[in-house]
């Protein structure tokens, strides 16, 4: 923590402009980073945070503007240049090599490192660095064997191995459990105390309040202001970001929960590695009910969701949708039967990255009129529907003819949820639907979910975000190692009780 005027600035960005296909992602942005500071960068989805970070990290070149590191002007041609100047970034989407070990990833691209350096030495260096900074990893493990949280540690260690003085963390906590975030914050504090500087991007305002010294807010690519964290409450920050007061919606207790819409009996599902990831789960979701599934990521969430929607075979057990046995139906037949799905990975699974937004919005309905007539696709139908849905679901940043992957994370999610809602499903299965979304987009998506519930849709909400689960669910189930280990009405749930169950402690056991 520093407010000492004599402290040199770690980084200074002045008048940064960056345009993508006519959209000003950064518009005359100014950003000052002090040494030893944790500096939060806030803004709605698409405000330009990742762009600014990527410019400082040498991934993008600004159209105009100046950058100084420790007082000296710099012009980075690549992330390599930036690292040489002590600036490194952990991207929203990781960039590790899955087939190499932790130690090999650490060494990868390191200038002046003897390539023949043996595995033992590398592993030892990785382990020591991990211990010093509270980021323990198994240095001999291959990246694909690690959880997302562990992969993130490797990304950070990689920067520390290069002795980066400025670390840019783009939404690091979006993929972490509350416990993992706590560990990361401790590391961040330690790094700041050593005199390193950290840029921290997050949509979770209580985290920003907790960990940062200073906040800069971007809106529509422009700097709208900065404030010392101590002088701002989370609700002030939200107002700076979206220009209005926000209140996250929560569910009202519902009187009329209908009959069973999704019935799951004793299902078993295997993981990619052939292990039994879902080990006999039985659950019901009723019409007009939201059932939340809490659990630490990696306890069978992925396999449960994919098993229910038909993307992964069940080894045994059965699934009924509105009284119809769908256990052996194809994905497409399940969609037709009324099964909606919002997966975890938006670009991998949910959307077709190379197609336009309009095409993506029609992706599940395109075989039917009005999109398809006499086996031909009708362009105007895609356009008209696209325009309507883009407005209805407040999807921002769409440029006609350009692929959807250019949208920011929050806007991708709004498109995905909107498309599922449009299919008028009977059952909706959602995984971490507001992960990485800004407060405004979170409000929009939560409202969508609650509206679906009002309409009688049975919602299965699989999330690692306890606040979200408690705000939206009528009933909560906790899963651990592929089994349901607890169930309760939301009224009886506390973060503590859920946390213990999530850690595998069964109730009633001494
Ligand atoms: N490589 C790119 N090509 C085209 N457009 C881009 C590219 N990167 C970003 N954009 C656009 O620039 C704008 C700013 O995007 P950016 O990713 O910086 O936002 P962000 O603040 O990080 O949002 P989020 O909170 O969703 O991560 C958006 O309109 C986005 O669509
Ligand atoms: Mg971003």
């Amino acid at each position: 923590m520093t407010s000492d005027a004599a402290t040199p600035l770690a980084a200074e960005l002045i008048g940064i402009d960056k345009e993508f296909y006519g959209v000003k992602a950064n518009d005359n942005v100014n950003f000052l980073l002090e040494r030893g500071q944790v500096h939060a960068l806030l803004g709605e989805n698409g405000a330009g945070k990742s762009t600014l970070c990527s410019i400082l990290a040498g991934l993008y070149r600004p159209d105009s503007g100046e950058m100084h590191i420790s007082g000296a002007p710099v012009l980075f041609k690549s992330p390599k240049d930036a690292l040489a100047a002590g600036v490194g970034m952990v991207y929203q989407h990781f960039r590790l090599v899955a087939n190499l070990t932790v130690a090999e990833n650490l060494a990868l691209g390191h200038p002046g490192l003897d390539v023949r350096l043996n595995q033992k030495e590398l592993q030892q260096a990785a382990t020591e660095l991990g211990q010093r900074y509270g980021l323990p990893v198994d240095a001999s493990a291959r990246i694909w064997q690690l959880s997302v949280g562990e992969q993130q540690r490797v990304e950070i260690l990689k920067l520390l191995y290069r002795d980066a003085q400025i670390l840019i963390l783009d939404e690091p906590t979006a993929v972490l459990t509350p416990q993992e975030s706590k560990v990361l914050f401790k590391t961040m504090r330690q790094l700041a105390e050593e005199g390193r500087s950290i840029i921290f991007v997050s949509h979770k305002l209580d985290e920003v309040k907790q960990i940062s010294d200073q906040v800069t807010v971007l809106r529509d690519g422009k700097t709208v202001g900065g404030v010392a964290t101590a002088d701002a409450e989370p609700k002030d920050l939200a107002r700076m970001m979206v220009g209005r007061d926000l209140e996250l919606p929560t569910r009202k207790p519902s009187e009329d929960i209908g009959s069973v819409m999704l019935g799951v009996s004793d299902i078993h599902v295997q993981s990619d590695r052939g292990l039994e990831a879902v080990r006999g789960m039985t659950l019901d979701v009723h019409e007009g009910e939201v059932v939340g599934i809490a659990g630490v990521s990696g306890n069978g969430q992925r396999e449960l969701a994919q098993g229910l929607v038909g993307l992964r075979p069940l080894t045994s057990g059965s699934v009924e949708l509105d009284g119809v046995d769908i256990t052996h139906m194809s994905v497409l037949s399940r969609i037709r039967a009324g099964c909606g799905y919002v997966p975890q990975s938006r670009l991998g699974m949910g959307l077709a990255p190379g197609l336009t937004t309009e095409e993506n919005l029609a992706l599940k309905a395109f075989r039917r009129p009005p999109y398809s007539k006499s086996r031909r696709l009708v362009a105007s139908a895609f356009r008209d529907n696209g325009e309507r849905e883009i407005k209805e679901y407040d999807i921002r940043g769409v440029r006609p003819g350009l692929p959807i992957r250019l949208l920011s994370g929050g806007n991708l999610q709004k498109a995905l949820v909107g498309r599922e809602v449009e299919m008028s499903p009977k059952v909706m299965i959602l995984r971490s639907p507001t992960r990485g979304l800004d407060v405004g987009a979170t409000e929009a998506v939560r409202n969508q979910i609650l509206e679906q519930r009002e309409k009688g849709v049975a919602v299965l909400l699989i999330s690692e975000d306890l606040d979200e689960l408690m705000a939206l669910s009528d009933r909560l189930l906790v899963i651990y190692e592929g089994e349901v280990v607890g169930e309760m009405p939301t009224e009886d749930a506390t973060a503590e009780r859920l946390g213990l169950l999530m850690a595998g402690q069964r109730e009633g056991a001494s």
Side-chain angles (χ1 to χ4, degrees):
M1 252 193 253
T2 51
S3 49
D4 183 353
T7 313
L9 287 170
E12 195 176 354
L13 285 79
I14 309 155
I16 300 291
D17 289 312
K18 180 72 186 177
E19 198 175 299
F20 293 111
Y21 310 99
V23 167
K24 284 211 153 180
N26 282 169
D27 186 355
N28 193 22
V29 173
N30 297 317
F31 185 81
L32 302 181
L33 178 67
E34 287 178 26
R35 257 170 69 80
Q37 181 181 59
V38 176
H39 196 135
L41 187 57
L42 282 180
E44 293 182 276
N45 294 125
K49 304 178 296 293
S50 295
T51 303
L52 187 69
C53 292
S54 302
I55 287 173
L56 180 57
L59 185 72
Y60 296 150
R61 266 199 261 180
D63 300 334
S64 56
E66 282 174 42
M67 293 204 282
H68 300 258
I69 302 294
S70 302
V74 290
L75 198 114
F76 299 145
K77 294 206 184 77
S78 69
K80 228 187 205 156
D81 286 355
L83 261 174
V87 184
M89 173 160 170
V90 176
Y91 294 87
Q92 244 171 317
H93 310 282
F94 299 159
R95 307 183 153 213
L96 298 168
V97 182
N99 271 326
L100 295 185
T101 65
V102 169
E104 285 163 346
N105 268 279
L106 233 58
L108 206 67
H110 195 299
L113 196 72
D114 188 344
V115 283
R116 287 156 307 177
L117 200 67
N118 74 42
Q119 275 284 332
K120 265 235 168 67
E121 283 171 50
L122 267 177
Q123 288 183 14
Q124 198 177 348
T127 308
E128 277 172 16
L129 207 54
Q131 277 166 354
R132 170 137 51 103
Y133 290 104
L135 301 165
V137 284
D138 173 0
S140 63
R142 294 187 188 277
I143 296 301
W144 63 265
Q145 296 173 312
L146 303 181
S147 72
V148 184
E150 289 168 326
Q151 291 185 24
Q152 183 182 77
R153 278 184 223 152
V154 179
E155 290 273 15
I156 297 171
L157 287 176
K158 203 172 157 177
L159 300 185
L160 293 174
Y161 194 58
R162 313 275 165 93
D163 198 25
Q165 293 300 311
I166 297 176
L167 292 96
I168 306 169
L169 309 179
D170 195 356
E171 296 192 37
T173 58
V175 296
L176 300 182
T177 62
Q179 287 83 351
E180 286 174 322
S181 298
K182 239 186 221 159
V183 175
L184 174 66
F185 289 168
K186 233 175 122 191
T187 303
M188 285 167 63
R189 266 288 142 230
Q190 186 185 348
L191 293 169
E193 270 155 26
E194 281 183 359
R196 298 180 209 257
S197 311
I198 296 172
I199 298 176
F200 173 64
V201 181
S202 173
H203 291 293
K204 300 178 187 167
L205 301 179
D206 47 342
E207 288 182 356
V208 168
K209 179 75 188 164
Q210 187 188 333
I211 188 68
S212 70
D213 304 307
Q214 181 74 24
V215 178
T216 293
V217 180
L218 297 182
R219 196 194 301 162
D220 292 332
K222 298 188 189 66
T223 333
V224 291
V227 59
T229 309
D231 298 338
E233 288 308 313
K235 68 172 181 347
D236 305 324
L237 298 173
R239 199 178 317 111
M240 280 174 86
M241 269 162 62
V242 298
R244 66 181 167 97
D245 281 317
L246 277 168
E247 190 153 3
L248 285 180
T250 53
R251 137 205 94 92
K252 289 175 198 64
S254 118
E255 301 87 59
D256 41 27
I257 282 179
S259 53
V260 175
M261 200 42 94
L262 178 70
V264 178
S265 321
D266 195 24
I267 62 166
H268 292 250
V269 190
Q270 285 191 349
S271 72
D272 287 340
R273 279 192 261 165
L275 303 173
E276 183 149 87
V278 174
R279 304 189 297 164
M281 282 194 201
T282 296
L283 58 100
D284 284 337
V285 189
H286 297 244
E287 217 176 325
E289 184 187 35
V290 178
V291 171
I293 305 269
V296 176
S297 108
N299 276 281
Q301 287 92 336
R302 179 182 143 92
E303 291 79 8
L304 169 65
Q306 294 188 344
L308 296 181
V309 300
L311 286 163
R312 190 177 281 271
L314 307 183
T315 6
S316 64
S318 67
V319 184
E320 279 193 3
L321 196 159
D322 197 11
V324 178
D325 187 342
I326 61 164
T327 315
H328 302 289
M329 277 190 188
S330 68
V331 176
L332 193 60
S333 312
R334 288 183 210 220
I335 292 171
R336 290 200 177 121
C339 183
Y341 178 41
V342 175
Q344 172 112 347
S345 96
R346 289 156 203 170
L347 282 178
M349 213 53 245
L351 297 163
L355 298 184
T356 66
T357 303
E358 287 86 349
E359 286 162 345
N360 268 284
L361 288 171
L363 207 58
K364 281 194 168 173
F366 77 92
R367 288 182 183 81
R368 300 191 303 219
Y371 304 106
S372 186
K373 274 190 196 145
S374 335
R375 307 190 132 238
R376 300 179 61 171
L377 296 178
V378 184
S380 62
F382 282 90
R383 203 178 47 239
D384 294 349
N385 173 71
E387 274 172 17
R388 182 183 60 77
E389 287 189 32
I390 286 163
K391 215 165 137 204
E392 168 114 18
Y393 301 106
D394 190 26
I395 304 164
R396 299 185 206 174
V398 178
R399 278 147 284 167
L402 289 182
I404 197 165
R405 71 180 146 76
L406 300 180
L407 293 185
S408 75
N411 286 299
L412 286 173
Q413 187 69 342
K414 286 190 258 178
L416 194 50
V417 174
R419 185 187 70 198
E420 295 305 309
V421 166
E422 287 288 317
M423 297 296 291
S424 313
K426 290 178 181 168
V427 168
M428 238 176 134
I429 298 165
L430 304 114
R431 284 199 64 198
S432 310
T434 62
R435 199 182 73 175
L437 266 54
D438 70 48
V439 280
T442 298
E443 184 189 38
V445 169
R446 283 196 187 174
N447 274 325
Q448 283 294 349
I449 295 170
L450 290 176
E451 270 172 37
Q452 292 299 298
R453 169 179 176 265
E454 291 295 304
K455 279 193 200 154
V457 176
V459 179
L460 187 67
L461 175 65
I462 306 173
S463 175
E464 280 122 53
D465 181 342
L466 290 187
D467 291 336
E468 172 156 282
L469 285 167
M470 301 226 261
L472 301 180
S473 314
D474 296 288
R475 197 151 51 90
L476 285 165
L477 267 54
V478 184
I479 60 172
Y480 179 73
E481 293 190 343
E483 290 179 73
V484 177
V485 294
E487 175 172 357
M488 66 203 79
T490 307
E491 282 67 35
D492 297 346
T494 60
E496 203 185 356
R497 184 172 173 201
L498 293 172
L500 286 173
L501 286 164
M502 282 162 65
Q505 254 173 286
R506 291 189 190 241
E507 292 182 326
S510 56

